[in-house]
Amino acid sequence: MRPIIRTIAVTLAATTLAAVAACSPPEKESASSGSSAASATSAGDLGGIDKLVEAAKAEGQLNVIALPPNWANYGEIIKAFGDKYGIKVNSAQPDGSSQDEINAANQLKGQDGAPDVFDLGATVATANIAMFAPYKTATFADVPENLKDAGGAWVNDYGGYMSVGYDSAKVPAPTSLADLLKPEYKGKVALNGDPTQAGAAFGGVQMASLANGGTVEDIAKGVDFFGQLKKAGNLLPVDPSDTTIQSGQTPVVFDWDYLNAAQVSKLKTWKTFVPDGAVLGSYYVQAINKDAPHPAAARLWQEFLYSDEGQNLWLKGGARPVRAEAMEKAGTIDKAAFAALPKIEGTPVIPTEAQNTKAKEYLASNWAKAIG
Protein backbone atom coordinates (compact mmCIF):
# COMPACT_ATOMS: atom_id res chain seq x y z
CA MET A 1 0.00 0.00 0.00
CA ARG A 2 1.02 3.56 -0.53
CA PRO A 3 2.44 4.97 2.73
CA ILE A 4 -0.08 6.65 4.98
CA ILE A 5 1.41 10.08 4.41
CA ARG A 6 0.48 9.84 0.69
CA THR A 7 -3.15 9.07 1.45
CA ILE A 8 -3.86 12.64 2.43
CA ALA A 9 -7.59 13.43 2.30
CA VAL A 10 -8.46 13.40 -1.39
CA THR A 11 -12.09 14.35 -1.37
CA LEU A 12 -12.74 17.14 -3.81
CA ALA A 13 -13.92 20.57 -2.78
CA ALA A 14 -14.81 21.69 -6.30
CA THR A 15 -16.24 25.03 -5.33
CA THR A 16 -13.23 25.87 -3.19
CA LEU A 17 -10.79 24.96 -5.95
CA ALA A 18 -12.76 26.95 -8.49
CA ALA A 19 -12.90 30.00 -6.22
CA VAL A 20 -9.15 29.94 -5.63
CA ALA A 21 -8.50 29.47 -9.35
CA ALA A 22 -10.59 32.52 -10.15
CA CYS A 23 -8.30 34.79 -8.16
CA SER A 24 -5.01 33.18 -9.15
CA PRO A 25 -2.41 35.38 -10.85
CA PRO A 26 -1.87 35.04 -14.62
CA GLU A 27 0.19 32.05 -15.66
CA LYS A 28 3.85 32.82 -16.32
CA GLU A 29 5.74 31.81 -19.42
CA SER A 30 8.11 28.90 -18.77
CA ALA A 31 11.80 29.62 -19.01
CA SER A 32 12.32 26.36 -20.90
CA SER A 33 13.15 26.18 -24.58
CA GLY A 34 9.64 24.95 -25.27
CA SER A 35 8.09 28.35 -24.63
CA SER A 36 5.18 27.83 -27.05
CA ALA A 37 4.35 24.53 -25.37
CA ALA A 38 4.59 26.18 -21.97
CA SER A 39 1.81 28.59 -22.89
CA ALA A 40 -0.36 26.09 -24.78
CA THR A 41 -3.80 25.61 -23.22
CA SER A 42 -4.72 22.86 -25.70
CA ALA A 43 -3.02 20.79 -28.40
CA GLY A 44 -4.64 23.13 -30.90
CA ASP A 45 -2.40 25.95 -29.72
CA LEU A 46 0.57 23.98 -31.07
CA GLY A 47 -1.12 23.03 -34.33
CA GLY A 48 -2.76 19.78 -33.21
CA ILE A 49 -1.92 16.56 -31.40
CA ASP A 50 0.72 15.51 -33.97
CA LYS A 51 2.66 18.72 -33.37
CA LEU A 52 2.37 18.20 -29.59
CA VAL A 53 3.76 14.67 -29.97
CA GLU A 54 6.60 16.03 -32.10
CA ALA A 55 7.46 18.68 -29.51
CA ALA A 56 7.29 16.19 -26.64
CA LYS A 57 9.56 13.73 -28.45
CA ALA A 58 12.04 16.54 -29.04
CA GLU A 59 12.12 17.17 -25.28
CA GLY A 60 12.62 13.43 -24.79
CA GLN A 61 11.81 13.27 -21.08
CA LEU A 62 9.00 13.63 -18.56
CA ASN A 63 9.42 14.08 -14.80
CA VAL A 64 6.72 12.55 -12.59
CA ILE A 65 6.74 12.36 -8.80
CA ALA A 66 5.07 10.44 -5.96
CA LEU A 67 3.60 7.73 -8.20
CA PRO A 68 4.14 4.25 -6.67
CA PRO A 69 3.99 1.60 -9.42
CA ASN A 70 1.39 -0.42 -7.47
CA TRP A 71 -0.87 2.61 -6.87
CA ALA A 72 -3.79 2.80 -9.35
CA ASN A 73 -1.65 0.88 -11.88
CA TYR A 74 0.85 3.71 -12.32
CA GLY A 75 3.68 1.28 -13.07
CA GLU A 76 1.95 0.08 -16.23
CA ILE A 77 0.73 3.59 -17.11
CA ILE A 78 4.26 5.00 -16.99
CA LYS A 79 5.63 2.14 -19.10
CA ALA A 80 2.82 2.42 -21.66
CA PHE A 81 3.41 6.16 -22.11
CA GLY A 82 7.16 5.75 -22.44
CA ASP A 83 6.84 2.89 -24.92
CA LYS A 84 4.20 4.65 -27.01
CA TYR A 85 6.09 7.90 -27.49
CA GLY A 86 9.69 6.94 -26.91
CA ILE A 87 9.91 9.40 -24.03
CA LYS A 88 11.97 8.61 -20.93
CA VAL A 89 9.85 8.93 -17.78
CA ASN A 90 11.83 9.90 -14.68
CA SER A 91 9.85 8.82 -11.62
CA ALA A 92 11.03 10.59 -8.44
CA GLN A 93 10.08 9.84 -4.83
CA PRO A 94 7.50 7.14 -5.65
CA ASP A 95 6.54 6.94 -1.98
CA GLY A 96 6.31 10.71 -1.51
CA SER A 97 3.31 12.72 -0.36
CA SER A 98 1.28 15.35 -2.18
CA GLN A 99 3.12 18.05 -0.24
CA ASP A 100 6.44 16.48 -1.27
CA GLU A 101 5.43 17.13 -4.89
CA ILE A 102 4.86 20.81 -4.25
CA ASN A 103 8.04 21.10 -2.20
CA ALA A 104 10.07 19.52 -5.01
CA ALA A 105 8.59 21.89 -7.58
CA ASN A 106 9.55 24.89 -5.44
CA GLN A 107 13.01 23.63 -4.53
CA LEU A 108 13.89 22.57 -8.10
CA LYS A 109 12.25 25.48 -9.93
CA GLY A 110 14.22 26.37 -13.04
CA GLN A 111 16.09 23.05 -13.00
CA ASP A 112 15.73 20.17 -15.45
CA GLY A 113 14.81 17.78 -12.63
CA ALA A 114 11.72 19.65 -11.43
CA PRO A 115 8.37 17.83 -11.63
CA ASP A 116 6.51 18.38 -14.89
CA VAL A 117 3.15 17.21 -13.55
CA PHE A 118 1.32 16.71 -10.28
CA ASP A 119 -1.02 14.04 -8.89
CA LEU A 120 -2.39 15.60 -5.70
CA GLY A 121 -4.89 15.25 -2.92
CA ALA A 122 -7.48 18.03 -3.11
CA THR A 123 -6.37 19.74 0.10
CA VAL A 124 -2.85 20.28 -1.22
CA ALA A 125 -4.13 21.14 -4.70
CA THR A 126 -6.44 23.83 -3.32
CA ALA A 127 -3.53 25.56 -1.61
CA ASN A 128 -1.32 25.58 -4.70
CA ILE A 129 -3.47 26.40 -7.73
CA ALA A 130 -1.23 29.36 -8.61
CA MET A 131 1.45 26.78 -9.52
CA PHE A 132 -0.69 25.10 -12.19
CA ALA A 133 -0.73 25.72 -15.94
CA PRO A 134 -4.23 25.62 -17.47
CA TYR A 135 -4.63 22.95 -20.15
CA LYS A 136 -7.62 21.25 -21.74
CA THR A 137 -7.15 17.80 -23.24
CA ALA A 138 -9.08 16.55 -26.27
CA THR A 139 -11.51 14.79 -23.91
CA PHE A 140 -11.92 17.68 -21.46
CA ALA A 141 -15.65 17.98 -22.22
CA ASP A 142 -16.21 14.40 -21.02
CA VAL A 143 -15.21 15.29 -17.45
CA PRO A 144 -18.19 16.29 -15.27
CA GLU A 145 -18.29 20.03 -14.57
CA ASN A 146 -17.94 19.59 -10.80
CA LEU A 147 -14.78 17.53 -11.25
CA LYS A 148 -12.64 20.09 -13.08
CA ASP A 149 -11.68 23.74 -13.20
CA ALA A 150 -13.56 25.42 -16.05
CA GLY A 151 -10.31 26.89 -17.32
CA GLY A 152 -8.39 23.61 -17.11
CA ALA A 153 -6.05 24.55 -14.25
CA TRP A 154 -6.85 21.24 -12.56
CA VAL A 155 -8.90 18.16 -13.44
CA ASN A 156 -9.85 15.21 -11.29
CA ASP A 157 -8.29 12.05 -12.65
CA TYR A 158 -9.26 8.89 -10.76
CA GLY A 159 -10.84 7.98 -7.48
CA GLY A 160 -12.99 5.55 -5.66
CA TYR A 161 -14.99 4.87 -2.53
CA MET A 162 -14.16 4.10 1.06
CA SER A 163 -14.53 0.37 1.65
CA VAL A 164 -13.93 -2.59 3.91
CA GLY A 165 -11.54 -5.21 2.61
CA TYR A 166 -11.57 -8.65 4.20
CA ASP A 167 -10.05 -12.10 3.91
CA SER A 168 -13.02 -14.35 3.18
CA ALA A 169 -10.98 -17.34 4.35
CA LYS A 170 -10.60 -15.89 7.84
CA VAL A 171 -13.78 -13.91 8.59
CA PRO A 172 -17.44 -14.10 7.57
CA ALA A 173 -18.51 -11.69 4.83
CA PRO A 174 -19.84 -8.50 6.45
CA THR A 175 -23.17 -7.21 5.13
CA SER A 176 -23.01 -3.95 7.09
CA LEU A 177 -20.52 -2.06 9.25
CA ALA A 178 -22.54 -3.14 12.29
CA ASP A 179 -21.45 -6.72 11.59
CA LEU A 180 -17.88 -5.73 12.47
CA LEU A 181 -18.97 -5.32 16.11
CA LYS A 182 -19.70 -9.06 16.35
CA PRO A 183 -17.44 -11.51 18.24
CA GLU A 184 -16.36 -13.13 14.97
CA TYR A 185 -14.28 -10.04 14.24
CA LYS A 186 -12.50 -9.83 17.60
CA GLY A 187 -8.96 -8.54 17.11
CA LYS A 188 -9.37 -8.48 13.34
CA VAL A 189 -10.37 -4.95 12.20
CA ALA A 190 -7.72 -2.39 11.13
CA LEU A 191 -8.11 1.25 10.16
CA ASN A 192 -5.49 2.49 7.71
CA GLY A 193 -3.70 4.90 10.02
CA ASP A 194 -4.63 7.56 12.55
CA PRO A 195 -7.64 9.51 11.22
CA THR A 196 -6.30 12.75 12.67
CA GLN A 197 -3.33 12.40 10.30
CA ALA A 198 -4.16 9.96 7.49
CA GLY A 199 -6.74 10.58 4.78
CA ALA A 200 -7.75 6.95 4.33
CA ALA A 201 -8.43 6.54 8.05
CA PHE A 202 -10.29 9.86 8.14
CA GLY A 203 -12.45 8.61 5.27
CA GLY A 204 -13.16 5.44 7.23
CA VAL A 205 -14.56 7.48 10.11
CA GLN A 206 -16.68 9.55 7.72
CA MET A 207 -18.04 6.38 6.12
CA ALA A 208 -18.89 4.96 9.55
CA SER A 209 -20.68 8.21 10.34
CA LEU A 210 -22.82 7.91 7.19
CA ALA A 211 -23.56 4.25 7.94
CA ASN A 212 -24.79 5.14 11.42
CA GLY A 213 -27.04 8.07 10.52
CA GLY A 214 -24.49 10.87 10.78
CA THR A 215 -22.97 13.06 8.06
CA VAL A 216 -19.50 13.69 6.66
CA GLU A 217 -19.15 16.85 8.73
CA ASP A 218 -20.97 15.78 11.90
CA ILE A 219 -18.93 12.63 12.47
CA ALA A 220 -19.77 11.97 16.13
CA LYS A 221 -21.53 8.73 15.20
CA GLY A 222 -18.50 7.59 13.21
CA VAL A 223 -16.16 8.25 16.11
CA ASP A 224 -18.59 6.47 18.42
CA PHE A 225 -18.65 3.45 16.10
CA PHE A 226 -14.88 3.04 16.33
CA GLY A 227 -15.11 3.55 20.08
CA GLN A 228 -17.49 0.59 20.17
CA LEU A 229 -15.13 -1.45 18.00
CA LYS A 230 -12.31 -0.74 20.44
CA LYS A 231 -14.47 -1.58 23.47
CA ALA A 232 -15.50 -4.87 21.86
CA GLY A 233 -11.83 -5.75 21.35
CA ASN A 234 -12.29 -5.83 17.58
CA LEU A 235 -10.16 -2.82 16.59
CA LEU A 236 -6.49 -3.60 15.99
CA PRO A 237 -3.83 -0.99 16.86
CA VAL A 238 -1.97 -1.92 13.65
CA ASP A 239 -1.49 0.07 10.45
CA PRO A 240 -2.31 -2.38 7.65
CA SER A 241 0.10 -3.05 4.79
CA ASP A 242 0.61 -5.65 2.07
CA THR A 243 2.60 -7.68 4.58
CA THR A 244 0.01 -7.62 7.40
CA ILE A 245 -2.78 -8.47 4.97
CA GLN A 246 -0.97 -11.37 3.34
CA SER A 247 0.19 -12.74 6.70
CA GLY A 248 -3.34 -12.61 8.11
CA GLN A 249 -2.45 -10.12 10.85
CA THR A 250 -5.07 -7.63 9.56
CA PRO A 251 -7.88 -9.69 7.99
CA VAL A 252 -10.29 -6.70 7.87
CA VAL A 253 -9.13 -3.30 6.58
CA PHE A 254 -10.79 0.09 6.07
CA ASP A 255 -9.28 1.65 2.92
CA TRP A 256 -10.16 3.08 -0.49
CA ASP A 257 -11.78 0.45 -2.69
CA TYR A 258 -9.12 0.57 -5.41
CA LEU A 259 -6.44 -0.19 -2.81
CA ASN A 260 -8.45 -2.96 -1.19
CA ALA A 261 -9.40 -4.42 -4.57
CA ALA A 262 -5.75 -4.52 -5.64
CA GLN A 263 -4.95 -6.91 -2.79
CA VAL A 264 -6.68 -9.78 -4.59
CA SER A 265 -3.70 -10.09 -6.94
CA LYS A 266 -1.63 -11.20 -3.92
CA LEU A 267 -4.34 -12.82 -1.81
CA LYS A 268 -7.04 -14.59 -3.81
CA THR A 269 -9.45 -14.79 -0.86
CA TRP A 270 -9.44 -11.01 -0.34
CA LYS A 271 -12.75 -9.28 -1.06
CA THR A 272 -13.94 -5.67 -1.01
CA PHE A 273 -17.22 -4.36 0.41
CA VAL A 274 -18.78 -0.88 0.16
CA PRO A 275 -21.68 -0.59 2.64
CA ASP A 276 -25.08 0.39 1.25
CA GLY A 277 -26.01 3.98 1.98
CA ALA A 278 -22.49 4.86 3.11
CA VAL A 279 -20.81 5.59 -0.20
CA LEU A 280 -18.01 8.06 0.49
CA GLY A 281 -16.31 9.14 -2.71
CA SER A 282 -12.95 10.77 -3.39
CA TYR A 283 -10.85 11.83 -6.38
CA TYR A 284 -7.25 12.86 -6.90
CA VAL A 285 -6.33 16.02 -8.81
CA GLN A 286 -4.15 16.12 -11.92
CA ALA A 287 -2.31 19.31 -12.93
CA ILE A 288 0.66 20.59 -14.94
CA ASN A 289 3.48 22.48 -13.25
CA LYS A 290 3.46 25.96 -14.84
CA ASP A 291 7.27 25.89 -14.60
CA ALA A 292 7.56 22.39 -16.09
CA PRO A 293 11.01 21.82 -17.61
CA HIS A 294 9.37 19.64 -20.27
CA PRO A 295 6.12 21.51 -21.02
CA ALA A 296 5.22 19.60 -24.19
CA ALA A 297 5.78 16.20 -22.57
CA ALA A 298 3.71 17.36 -19.58
CA ARG A 299 0.79 18.19 -21.88
CA LEU A 300 1.15 14.97 -23.86
CA TRP A 301 1.07 13.07 -20.54
CA GLN A 302 -2.29 14.68 -19.80
CA GLU A 303 -3.61 13.76 -23.24
CA PHE A 304 -2.54 10.16 -22.60
CA LEU A 305 -4.03 9.97 -19.10
CA TYR A 306 -7.40 11.30 -20.25
CA SER A 307 -7.52 9.20 -23.43
CA ASP A 308 -9.52 5.98 -23.46
CA GLU A 309 -6.23 4.07 -23.18
CA GLY A 310 -5.04 5.96 -20.11
CA GLN A 311 -8.42 5.89 -18.39
CA ASN A 312 -8.73 2.15 -18.94
CA LEU A 313 -5.26 1.62 -17.47
CA TRP A 314 -6.35 3.36 -14.26
CA LEU A 315 -9.48 1.22 -14.35
CA LYS A 316 -7.34 -1.90 -14.72
CA GLY A 317 -5.69 -0.89 -11.44
CA GLY A 318 -9.07 -0.80 -9.68
CA ALA A 319 -9.41 3.00 -9.69
CA ARG A 320 -12.50 4.68 -11.12
CA PRO A 321 -11.43 6.96 -14.00
CA VAL A 322 -13.11 10.36 -14.15
CA ARG A 323 -14.37 9.77 -17.72
CA ALA A 324 -15.99 6.43 -16.84
CA GLU A 325 -19.56 7.56 -17.47
CA ALA A 326 -18.79 9.04 -20.89
CA MET A 327 -16.73 6.02 -21.89
CA GLU A 328 -19.46 3.63 -20.78
CA LYS A 329 -21.95 5.49 -23.00
CA ALA A 330 -19.50 5.48 -25.91
CA GLY A 331 -18.70 1.79 -25.47
CA THR A 332 -14.97 2.46 -25.06
CA ILE A 333 -14.61 1.43 -21.42
CA ASP A 334 -12.91 -1.85 -20.47
CA LYS A 335 -16.13 -3.69 -19.65
CA ALA A 336 -14.48 -6.56 -17.78
CA ALA A 337 -12.44 -4.23 -15.56
CA PHE A 338 -15.44 -1.98 -14.99
CA ALA A 339 -17.62 -4.94 -14.01
CA ALA A 340 -14.94 -6.11 -11.59
CA LEU A 341 -15.12 -2.93 -9.50
CA PRO A 342 -16.69 -3.26 -6.05
CA LYS A 343 -20.44 -2.71 -6.35
CA ILE A 344 -22.00 0.33 -4.72
CA GLU A 345 -25.58 1.02 -3.67
CA GLY A 346 -26.74 4.53 -2.86
CA THR A 347 -25.80 8.05 -3.87
CA PRO A 348 -22.08 8.83 -3.54
CA VAL A 349 -21.19 11.60 -1.09
CA ILE A 350 -18.13 13.73 -1.93
CA PRO A 351 -17.39 16.05 1.01
CA THR A 352 -16.43 19.66 0.51
CA GLU A 353 -13.32 21.11 2.08
CA ALA A 354 -15.52 23.01 4.55
CA GLN A 355 -17.22 19.78 5.64
CA ASN A 356 -13.86 18.06 6.06
CA THR A 357 -12.55 20.95 8.13
CA LYS A 358 -15.49 20.74 10.52
CA ALA A 359 -15.13 16.97 10.81
CA LYS A 360 -11.40 17.23 11.52
CA GLU A 361 -12.03 19.73 14.30
CA TYR A 362 -14.36 17.27 16.02
CA LEU A 363 -11.94 14.42 15.43
CA ALA A 364 -9.02 16.31 16.95
CA SER A 365 -10.96 16.82 20.17
CA ASN A 366 -12.67 13.44 20.45
CA TRP A 367 -10.79 10.64 18.69
CA ALA A 368 -8.24 9.89 21.41
CA LYS A 369 -10.98 9.89 24.06
CA ALA A 370 -13.11 7.49 22.03
CA ILE A 371 -10.48 4.83 21.51
CA GLY A 372 -8.18 5.56 24.47
Side-chain angles (χ1 to χ4, degrees):
M1 287 186 182
R2 210 169 189 172
I4 291 170
I5 192 171
R6 186 61 175 94
T7 47
I8 303 298
V10 297
T11 45
L12 173 67
T15 54
T16 303
L17 283 165
V20 176
C23 60
S24 296
E27 300 297 334
K28 296 178 182 176
E29 190 82 355
S30 170
S32 91
S33 58
S35 58
S36 58
S39 61
T41 59
S42 71
D45 287 349
L46 292 172
I49 191 68
D50 290 343
K51 291 294 185 181
L52 175 60
V53 171
E54 183 180 324
K57 285 185 173 181
E59 291 173 352
Q61 297 189 64
L62 172 75
N63 297 337
V64 301
I65 185 171
L67 301 181
N70 62 346
W71 175 277
N73 203 30
Y74 260 123
E76 186 173 352
I77 290 170
I78 289 170
K79 184 179 186 303
F81 176 81
D83 290 349
K84 183 170 186 172
Y85 297 110
I87 293 172
K88 180 183 178 183
V89 181
N90 305 306
S91 182
Q93 294 179 255
D95 292 334
S97 70
S98 291
Q99 189 58 49
D100 287 336
E101 299 182 44
I102 298 300
N103 294 345
N106 286 324
Q107 292 162 4
L108 300 173
K109 184 175 179 178
Q111 300 180 39
D112 193 58
D116 287 306
V117 290
F118 301 118
D119 181 84
L120 303 164
T123 300
V124 175
T126 300
N128 294 282
I129 290 176
M131 296 177 65
F132 305 159
Y135 185 79
K136 295 182 181 181
T137 66
T139 58
F140 186 78
D142 283 351
V143 179
E145 295 299 321
N146 66 318
L147 300 180
K148 64 186 176 186
D149 168 58
W154 57 267
V155 185
N156 282 150
D157 43 18
Y158 61 88
Y161 301 103
M162 182 49 55
S163 67
V164 175
Y166 64 95
D167 187 346
S168 60
K170 290 184 168 57
V171 296
T175 58
S176 69
L177 287 193
D179 284 350
L180 301 182
L181 295 168
K182 296 178 178 178
E184 295 93 320
Y185 298 91
K186 191 174 183 66
K188 291 182 167 62
V189 182
L191 185 60
N192 191 0
D194 179 342
T196 65
Q197 300 176 30
F202 176 61
V205 177
Q206 286 183 308
M207 178 178 72
S209 177
L210 291 173
N212 286 281
T215 67
V216 293
E217 57 186 315
D218 181 2
I219 61 169
K221 292 184 177 179
V223 172
D224 181 63
F225 172 79
F226 280 97
Q228 293 178 55
L229 271 183
K230 177 67 183 300
K231 187 176 181 180
N234 294 8
L235 185 64
L236 281 169
V238 176
D239 287 344
S241 65
D242 290 352
T243 300
T244 66
I245 287 172
Q246 291 165 45
S247 69
Q249 185 182 2
T250 57
V252 181
V253 173
F254 280 78
D255 211 342
W256 299 113
D257 62 349
Y258 52 93
L259 299 182
N260 266 325
Q263 291 296 327
V264 75
S265 65
K266 309 177 192 75
L267 185 63
K268 299 304 180 185
T269 52
W270 192 259
K271 299 186 182 300
T272 304
F273 165 63
V274 178
D276 294 357
V279 185
L280 182 82
S282 73
Y283 279 90
Y284 269 85
V285 175
Q286 187 72 211
I288 296 171
N289 181 1
K290 72 175 183 182
D291 296 309
H294 310 102
R299 285 155 175 78
L300 185 60
W301 173 251
Q302 303 302 306
E303 294 287 357
F304 179 74
L305 292 180
Y306 289 95
S307 69
D308 291 346
E309 182 180 1
Q311 295 277 291
N312 276 324
L313 284 171
W314 267 324
L315 180 59
K316 184 178 177 182
R320 299 170 193 266
V322 75
R323 290 183 53 236
E325 184 176 352
M327 290 170 62
E328 189 178 18
K329 288 179 180 177
T332 57
I333 202 161
D334 182 332
K335 293 180 180 178
F338 196 50
L341 291 175
K343 301 297 182 285
I344 64 166
E345 293 289 341
T347 303
V349 177
I350 301 179
T352 66
E353 200 66 20
Q355 289 174 319
N356 283 340
T357 297
K358 186 174 180 181
K360 288 173 183 176
E361 288 172 355
Y362 181 86
L363 200 63
S365 299
N366 295 279
W367 179 253
K369 291 185 288 186
I371 65 161

